């Protein structure tokens, strides 16, 4: 789950809360893991689903998985990246109870990366454009990549649901352009 789809190519880890209860849910011939309290919201409008079993959050910590994009997979240390970590900041009040981690962006992602030695990319330059680290989007302004990234995930079967969420973002007072937090 993320509110910033433009960071998905720089995905490095997942964060769960070891103290939450999660469930395995069978839907459309796939099994999904979500926080138990979020099942109805996550699957609303998706048709029939079946809860298979409960999973304590601590049992998810340490699991390895395939990232939604492969720009870094096989190029950085697998023993620290593309792993599920515990993070106190993960809640079950919104989203899925599982957070996408792109440590180059966002304070809590960065702090978790420092603590766990998760790779921190240099995928966005000072102008807000993708660098050669993400060659498919190199030179593209991050805001202009949202739709192509979302469409690619849909086509590749890594997008479960797209919803609009409105939240405030900081703006530069001189240029009136949006700002991003960057490591």
């Amino acid at each position: 789950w993320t509110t910033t789809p433009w960071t998905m190519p720089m995905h490095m880890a997942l964060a769960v809360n070891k103290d939450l209860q999660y469930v395995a849910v069978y839907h459309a011939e796939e099994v999904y893991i979500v926080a138990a309290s979020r099942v109805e919201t996550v699957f609303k409008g998706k048709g029939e689903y079946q809860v298979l079993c409960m999973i304590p959050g601590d049992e998810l910590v340490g699991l390895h998985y395939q990232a939604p994009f492969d720009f870094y997979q096989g190029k950085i240390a697998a023993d620290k990246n593309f792993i599920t970590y515990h993070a106190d900041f993960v809640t079950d009040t919104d989203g899925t109870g599982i957070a996408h981690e792109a440590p180059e962006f966002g304070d809590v992602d960065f702090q978790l990366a420092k603590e766990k030695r998760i790779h921190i990319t240099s995928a966005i330059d000072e102008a807000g454009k993708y660098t050669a680290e993400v060659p498919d989007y190199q030179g593209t302004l991050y805001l202009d990549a949202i739709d192509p990234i979302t469409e690619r995930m849909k086509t590749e079967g890594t997008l479960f649901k797209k919803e609009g969420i409105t939240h405030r973002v900081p703006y530069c007072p001189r240029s009136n352009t949006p700002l991003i937090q960057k490591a």
Side-chain angles (χ1 to χ4, degrees), residues 42-55:
V42 169
F43 287 90
K44 181 178 182 180
K46 298 294 281 183
E48 292 186 28
Y49 61 88
Q50 177 185 5
V51 174
L52 300 175
C53 65
M54 297 291 287
I55 305 169

Side-chain angles (χ1 to χ4, degrees), residues 170-179:
Y171 272 78
C172 173
R174 291 172 297 200
S175 66
N176 197 34
T177 56
L179 299 172

Side-chain angles (χ1 to χ4, degrees), residues 39-139:
V39 172
E40 286 185 31
T41 301
V42 169
F43 287 90
K44 181 178 182 180
K46 298 294 281 183
E48 292 186 28
Y49 61 88
Q50 177 185 5
V51 174
L52 300 175
C53 65
M54 297 291 287
I55 305 169
D58 62 346
E59 289 184 15
L60 298 174
V61 175
L63 295 179
H64 291 258
Y65 61 90
Q66 178 71 37
F69 288 89
D70 64 358
F71 297 116
Y72 298 95
Q73 202 121 21
K75 298 176 185 133
I76 58 175
D79 66 329
K80 300 289 180 193
N81 302 286
F82 315 116
I83 296 174
T84 305
Y85 290 96
H86 163 71
D88 288 329
F89 60 80
V90 176
T91 69
D92 61 354
T93 58
D94 53 16
T96 61
I98 303 174
H100 144 73
E101 297 299 301
E104 182 178 354
F105 315 100
D107 190 41
V108 293
D109 299 49
F110 179 72
Q111 294 303 322
L112 180 65
K114 279 182 25 179
E115 177 188 334
K116 301 297 184 181
R117 307 181 109 196
I118 301 167
H119 182 74
I120 298 170
T121 66
S122 296
I124 300 282
D125 66 17
E126 291 76 22
K129 295 182 178 182
Y130 290 88
T131 67
E133 284 190 24
V134 184
D136 295 10
Y137 303 103
Q138 184 175 359

